[in-house]
Amino acid sequence: MAPPSHSYTNNGASQNNSVVVLPPVQTGTAPPLDSHHLLDPEELRRQGYQVIDFIADYYGRMGDYSVHPSVRPGFLRHQLPADAPSRPEHDAFGAALQDVRDLILPGLTHWQSPHHFAHFPASSSTVGVLGEALTAGINVVPFTWAASPAATELEMVVVDWLGKALHLPDSLMFCGGGGGTLLGTTCEAILCALVAARDRKLADIGSRRIGDLVVYCSDQTHFAFRKAAHIAGIHRDNCREIPTCRDHMFALSPAELHAAMQADVDAGLVPLFLCATVGTTQTTAVDPIRELCTVAAAHGAWVHVDAAYAGSALVCPEFRHVIDGAEAVDSFSMNAHKWLLANNDCCALWVKKPSLLVAALGTEQEYILKDAAAEGHDVVDYKDWSVTLTRRFRALKLWLVLRCYGVEGLRAHIRAHVRMAASFESMVKDDARFELTATRQFALVCFRLRSPQKLGGEKVANELNRRLLEEVNATDSGPYMSSAKVGGIYMLRCAVGSTLTEERHVREAWKVAQDRAASLLREMESTY
């Protein structure tokens, strides 16, 4: 292991090899490894203080880190021993924390950086962090009501709390005959809904016709849907990706969906499932839910809404219109860990008919799982609502976030980022060298640098913007952005959403983009 030190050199993560100085990790003598010390309260308290101090220092100095490291594959493996230690070293925990500081942090992409604009956020908060710690410390396994009654019932309460805060239809919540659960990822949520839809349909048409089932999405739908469909046994050739266009803001066309479904019916196939999206990954396109549900209903197809990113914005009444018609959907999912301060991982799934989930995913309970107190009651056993049996007590973290920040606090959080994104959008509009490439709907701005006609115009625009992104991301302590290619257009994505991002960070990001663009254009002028 690396020797302890009180600072590290950012190993290529910053072009100027800046040194970030952190206070020393407190060390001490570790107790012998025996059962009396594996959960010793005093040792937990001592090491816990070290961890909290470490995390607090990390956040306090977040702005000093380059967002994305310049490292090569194998950089960490070559610095760590090939085998785990047979015995703990002296003060093993303190030494391990030192290695986190010296070896691991320099090789991370710092998702919580105020300069992180590349992907949709993985939002963090003080309460979210401590909720994770509390969940890990209690460490229950709430796969049945009997296994952890309070954990199960808190999850039922908190998914209704969240659903009401997001203005979801009552039909998707326990209070309205539906119900929800907390999972790890969007892919898991889609898979659970898809399996429920599959088994319902096969019960009607016969299990031998599984090869005739067809699922639908747009060419903007996240690849998690195609992965889930493959896992669920849907033939790859039976996944219809319906093209979208810029003129319709890259939203899925109900007319195109109708034509695709009718063509499949005419061919003897069976429409099964539509995955509509509110806030696509590339441009945050919003599919028209009401009209799509009408098309799907004519063929008895299940409609799922994936609102992984934009679902958080629904806490604000001004965004409620993006899910108009949601009372007709069969299931809905969003990631509270993306933009609602809940920390990874926390994907909420709601379904109109929970019995269909249980029918598809339920298991016969072994005697050991039964509990006399549950006999005669219609309890929820969440193992029957998901792929996994062992599951985490995610409800505690989300309950704490909702309780400690309140719905109004979450609205203020979302609105602040939307205002910052609108500010960035205005700066793009004010610079004639740039253009917006998609309509901003939430806190993502898609833009690109125009290529002068005399220097090739559209023919070289994509390559010019690819180079611009590389230049922007290579800037010391500068912003980290990502790209998308939609409708043949290569564009830069500036996604505002880090908890630590302020207006000044957005202005700084735009200044870097302008400066790098000016340099590239001068270079092109010189070349031509």
Side-chain angles (χ1 to χ4, degrees):
M1 298 291 183
S5 65
H6 294 165
S7 66
Y8 70 79
T9 299
N10 196 339
N11 185 23
S14 175
Q15 292 181 350
N16 62 2
N17 290 323
S18 60
V19 175
V20 180
V21 179
L22 296 176
V25 174
Q26 298 298 314
T27 60
T29 302
L33 187 63
D34 61 52
S35 59
H36 297 293
H37 291 278
L38 292 178
L39 275 178
D40 178 72
E42 292 308 313
E43 190 67 3
L44 176 62
R45 182 173 286 110
R46 184 184 72 82
Q47 294 179 345
Y49 285 145
Q50 293 183 49
V51 170
I52 291 297
D53 285 342
F54 188 101
I55 296 172
D57 289 334
Y58 173 67
Y59 278 112
R61 293 167 171 80
M62 183 65 71
D64 297 336
Y65 293 96
S66 294
V67 187
H68 188 64
S70 298
V71 295
R72 296 182 180 277
F75 80 98
L76 182 61
R77 295 177 61 199
H78 295 154
Q79 298 183 77
L80 296 176
D83 301 298
S86 58
R87 294 178 180 275
E89 59 198 288
H90 173 70
D91 189 22
F93 191 76
L97 278 183
Q98 201 73 52
D99 280 342
V100 173
R101 170 184 295 164
D102 294 348
L103 305 180
I104 296 175
L105 287 185
L108 292 179
T109 297
H110 299 281
W111 282 68
Q112 305 310 315
S113 170
H115 303 290
H116 190 293
F117 301 100
H119 311 289
F120 287 140
S123 64
S124 186
S125 65
T126 301
V127 171
V129 170
L130 297 178
E132 276 290 303
L134 191 58
T135 298
I138 295 173
N139 202 31
V140 297
V141 186
F143 54 88
T144 64
W145 179 91
S148 291
T152 295
E153 296 194 15
L154 185 63
E155 187 163 341
M156 297 172 68
V157 169
V158 83
V159 290
D160 268 14
W161 275 17
L162 181 59
K164 292 175 183 177
L166 299 180
H167 305 93
L168 297 185
D170 287 348
S171 58
L172 290 172
M173 293 179 275
F174 284 108
C175 63
T181 184
L182 298 177
L183 307 172
T185 68
T186 295
C187 186
E188 187 180 355
I190 295 174
L191 176 61
C192 291
L194 185 52
V195 169
R198 180 199 66 191
D199 283 12
R200 179 183 69 170
K201 183 66 72 174
L202 291 179
D204 291 337
I205 65 175
S207 60
R208 293 184 178 181
R209 294 195 65 191
I210 188 171
D212 294 334
L213 300 180
V214 185
V215 298
Y216 304 84
C217 63
S218 84
D219 58 3
Q220 301 302 302
T221 303
H222 195 277
F223 62 80
F225 174 61
R226 287 173 284 283
K227 181 174 182 176
H230 179 59
I231 295 171
I234 305 300
H235 289 183
R236 292 187 187 275
D237 291 342
N238 284 4
C239 185
R240 305 284 182 260
E241 291 186 12
I242 299 173
T244 59
C245 65
R246 190 177 183 183
D247 289 345
H248 294 137
M249 298 169 58
F250 303 111
L252 176 56
S253 163
E256 295 290 337
L257 176 67
H258 170 75
M261 286 188 167
Q262 190 58 54
D264 285 328
V265 170
D266 293 344
L269 300 176
V270 181
L272 171 67
F273 192 97
L274 165 66
C275 184
T277 307
V278 172
T280 59
T281 300
Q282 301 207 84
T283 65
T284 64
V286 173
D287 293 336
I289 296 175
R290 187 188 307 280
E291 294 81 0
L292 294 173
C293 285
T294 299
V295 173
H299 301 283
W302 184 295
V303 178
H304 176 80
V305 173
D306 169 18
Y309 159 69
S312 296
L314 297 176
V315 298
C316 304
E318 60 266 31
F319 290 112
R320 172 62 180 82
H321 66 279
V322 301
I323 58 167
D324 283 349
E327 61 276 1
V329 307
D330 297 282
S331 53
F332 185 102
S333 63
M334 57 81 64
N335 291 344
H337 61 250
K338 268 191 166 60
W339 200 12
L340 216 57
L341 302 176
N343 285 55
N344 274 322
D345 53 16
C346 191
C347 174
L349 168 68
W350 292 269
V351 291
K352 183 175 290 185
K353 295 183 178 180
S355 60
L356 296 176
L357 272 186
V358 175
L361 299 167
T363 60
E364 290 295 328
Q365 283 201 19
E366 297 291 337
Y367 181 78
I368 194 173
L369 300 182
K370 295 185 180 297
D371 186 90
E375 293 297 327
H377 297 276
D378 187 19
V379 300
V380 169
D381 288 332
Y382 273 123
K383 70 176 179 62
D384 298 334
W385 289 52
S386 65
V387 174
T388 63
L389 298 180
T390 299
R391 54 198 313 277
R392 303 178 63 234
F393 187 12
R394 298 182 181 93
L396 182 58
K397 169 183 60 179
L398 183 55
W399 177 73
L400 284 169
V401 167
L402 290 169
R403 181 168 177 174
C404 295
Y405 297 132
V407 176
E408 285 297 334
L410 297 177
R411 285 174 182 161
H413 167 72
I414 297 294
R415 286 167 174 162
H417 286 146
V418 172
R419 283 195 300 270
M420 285 185 255
S423 175
F424 190 92
E425 177 187 39
S426 295
M427 289 185 280
V428 173
K429 288 180 177 179
D430 291 342
D431 191 327
R433 297 172 300 176
F434 290 85
E435 67 174 336
L436 297 170
T437 51
T439 302
R440 181 191 60 79
Q441 304 199 71
F442 304 101
L444 172 70
V445 181
C446 296
F447 68 104
R448 69 169 178 168
L449 177 63
R450 302 178 194 267
S451 179
Q453 288 297 324
K454 64 179 180 179
L455 302 182
E458 288 295 329
K459 294 181 180 179
V460 298
N462 284 353
E463 176 61 20
L464 175 63
N465 281 279
R466 185 192 64 77
R467 291 185 60 195
L468 176 60
L469 180 64
E470 289 181 353
E471 293 277 341
V472 167
N473 287 347
T475 307
D476 291 349
S477 301
Y480 180 49
M481 297 185 186
S482 61
S483 65
K485 191 171 184 181
V486 185
I489 297 174
Y490 185 100
M491 61 189 76
L492 279 69
R493 298 172 70 260
C494 179
V496 181
S498 171
T499 309
L500 296 172
T501 298
E502 300 173 4
E503 183 73 35
R504 62 187 176 91
H505 300 115
V506 174
R507 290 195 300 269
E508 291 167 3
W510 175 239
K511 181 65 165 55
V512 169
Q514 285 184 308
D515 290 347
R516 301 321 316 166
S519 176
L520 284 172
L521 291 175
R522 284 195 299 269
E523 180 183 326
M524 289 182 67
E525 291 275 4
S526 174
T527 300
Y528 277 81

